[in-house]
Amino acid sequence: VRQQVEELLEAAARIVAELKVTQATGSRIIALTGGAGVGKTTLIHDLQQKLECTIVPEPAMQAIDMLNSAVGMEAQKAWRREFPAAFGDLIGRLAIAQEERAANGPDAVVLFDRTVLDNIGYSLARGYALPSYLTAEVVAQAAARLEHVLVLDQVASAEDLEERNRATGRMTDPKQTESMSGTLEWVYVQLNCPTQRLSAGSRGVDGKRVQMALKQ
């Protein structure tokens, strides 16, 4: 899988520079990413209050909610354990569709709660094959539209993550959060996306983390 990922990123990176010249959008698109429990969604909603911007929600939670409604939480988790690549395919397709809509929309600032490029990091970390639709062209288009990427460090405790798992049907392993943030940061850097690591800080609309994000 690593060789497949490296070849994909190398091919996509060659396309990104050209697309950045020709693929201008009217929106400033900023992506927040990182391992589970880093506080992406909380920070995005805090930033929305400051910037009055549009949010593109995390596709994985949309997929989990749909599966929970369709088959129930336990069946949803069993299916994801048995078919992790199929779940990755599902969330990637959701991500592509909503990212393209947002990029072509009228909003001045758009915040992405993850992007389709996160699928690359998760495929690498978990050892399943990349979805077939993640071609070099698709990856390059997704990377070229990003003005900035913030990779967040963990803020939630192991107990917080376990409680969220019980409430939502997620299957987050708290021990993997930091390494996942590092893997995702590596993916975005390989694609020449302007990428910064955002350390943990006090939360809330006027908290330190919001202030650090606004300075990036």
Side-chain angles (χ1 to χ4, degrees), residues 22-87:
T22 61
Q23 184 177 286
T25 70
S27 302
R28 297 183 59 201
I29 299 177
I30 302 164
L32 277 71
T33 188
V38 296
K40 300 181 310 302
T41 303
T42 299
L43 178 57
I44 279 176
H45 285 283
D46 289 340
L47 287 170
Q48 184 185 37
Q49 295 186 54
K50 289 285 189 181
L51 300 174
E52 297 183 353
C53 56
T54 295
I55 293 175
V56 176
E58 182 179 358
M61 277 312 302
Q62 295 178 66
I64 289 172
D65 288 344
M66 287 190 297
L67 291 168
N68 284 343
S69 297
V71 300
M73 189 179 295
E74 293 307 314
Q76 170 265 126
K77 291 192 289 186
W79 179 78
R80 288 172 58 204
R81 289 189 189 99
E82 187 173 358
F83 303 107
F87 181 67

